[in-house]
Amino acid sequence: HSTAPARMGHIGENLLAPTLITYGTEEQKRRHLPPVARGEALWCQGYSEPGAGSDLAGIRTTATPDTTTGGYTVTGQKIWTSLALDADFCFVLARTDPGSIRHHGLSFLLLDMDQPGRIEVRPIRQLTGTSEFNEVFFDGARATETVGGEGNGWQVAMGLLARERGVSTLAQQIGFAEELGLVVAAAVASGAAEDPVIRARLVRQWAELDTMRRHALRTLGTTGDPGAPSVAKLLWGGWHQRLGELAVEVAGEA
Ligand SMILES: Cc1cc2nc3c(=O)[nH]c(=O)nc-3n(C[C@H](O)[C@H](O)[C@H](O)COP(=O)(O)OP(=O)(O)OC[C@H]3O[C@@H](n4cnc5c(N)ncnc54)[C@H](O)[C@@H]3O)c2cc1C
């Protein structure tokens, strides 16, 4: 029993590419999509900051137009940047209008990660011993362009998040079904399945997973409903935590 590992190119393939298809110029699509499709360009996501996690509109990383290059100069800090150490490029949400607050005055910028002295990536060591997450420090880093135009960053960022929380998680349900199968098998093997409460909880997990799948299929053909992907995210996040708790109970002290 094992599901295939997550794809290294996930962020470029499933998050950036559909965003470029919706908001990017023809030139941006021609330049950035083929290397993503070929697996040659790995991207990372520069949204979260120490003071802007759930409250993403609190972003403080700034970007000022660079009149000589037509790009932007980026200064600030990101955190929880998955796979940043391996990434070739980063899309960054930054404040381009210095006087702006909250969701206004933000821009969605693209930058090359290979800028020694201007970009520093510091891995965050996790309890597991691995370092999927990183802190990323921008000190006058050069961003080449915006996607969707200066000041429209919030709209583009939310368009991307709708895909991240929705369609991009579809394959995850296959892994969830397999994990549930392992927990059911463990419950049968350990005798925990004799307990009617455990049995009811296993059935509930199965029914909720089936509901998630139907919700996903229902939303596949719809566009412009920003609520649907958020519902999906809420469903799977809680579901997976409850499966973990159930697995611990089924396995018992062992
Ligand atoms: C697997 C994984 C990969 C990630 N990869 C990336 C990435 O590549 N790039 C990136 O930019 N970010 C990434 N993140 C970060 C993530 O998207 C969130 O920004 C971050 O986890 C939430 O911010 P925080 O950790 O500062 O928590 P906080 O926002 O500080 O939240 C802490 C707690 O407070 C609660 N809370 C917050 N606001 C409220 C409120 N108003 N009312 C009630 N409760 C509240 C939250 O529910 C939570 O329990 C990743 C996260 C995970 C788990």
Side-chain angles (χ1 to χ4, degrees), residues 2 13-14 37 58 131-132 134 143 155 179 190 196 201 206 220 237 254:
S2 68
E13 291 168 10
N14 295 309
S131 300
E132 178 194 340
N134 302 271
Q155 190 198 350
E179 287 178 2
S190 73
R201 284 171 64 186
W206 176 84
L220 260 185

Side-chain angles (χ1 to χ4, degrees), residues 39-146:
E40 290 167 5
L42 295 179
W43 285 79
C44 63
Q45 177 179 30
Y47 278 19
S48 306
E49 297 181 6
S54 308
D55 188 21
L56 188 60
I59 275 181
R60 286 195 294 197
T61 291
T62 59
T64 47
D66 180 342
T67 42
T68 47
T69 63
Y72 294 82
T73 305
V74 183
T75 300
Q77 186 199 340
K78 298 293 176 180
I79 193 166
W80 312 126
T81 321
S82 302
L83 306 174
L85 206 54
D86 303 296
D88 306 298
F89 300 96
C90 185
F91 49 89
V92 173
L93 196 56
R95 202 163 287 288
T96 38
D97 178 353
S100 65
I101 54 161
R102 308 294 299 158
H103 314 80
H104 307 282
L106 299 169
S107 297
F108 189 101
L109 304 168
L110 306 184
L111 57 78
D112 195 320
M113 287 295 282
D114 187 17
Q115 301 189 44
R118 296 197 178 118
I119 299 180
E120 191 192 338
V121 179
R122 292 189 203 154
I124 299 172
R125 198 177 138 86
Q126 291 165 228
L127 191 64
T128 50
T130 57
S131 300
E132 178 194 340
F133 298 123
N134 302 271
E135 291 181 290
V136 180
F137 296 84
F138 300 113
D139 185 7
R142 308 276 192 258
T144 49
E145 64 215 284
T146 69

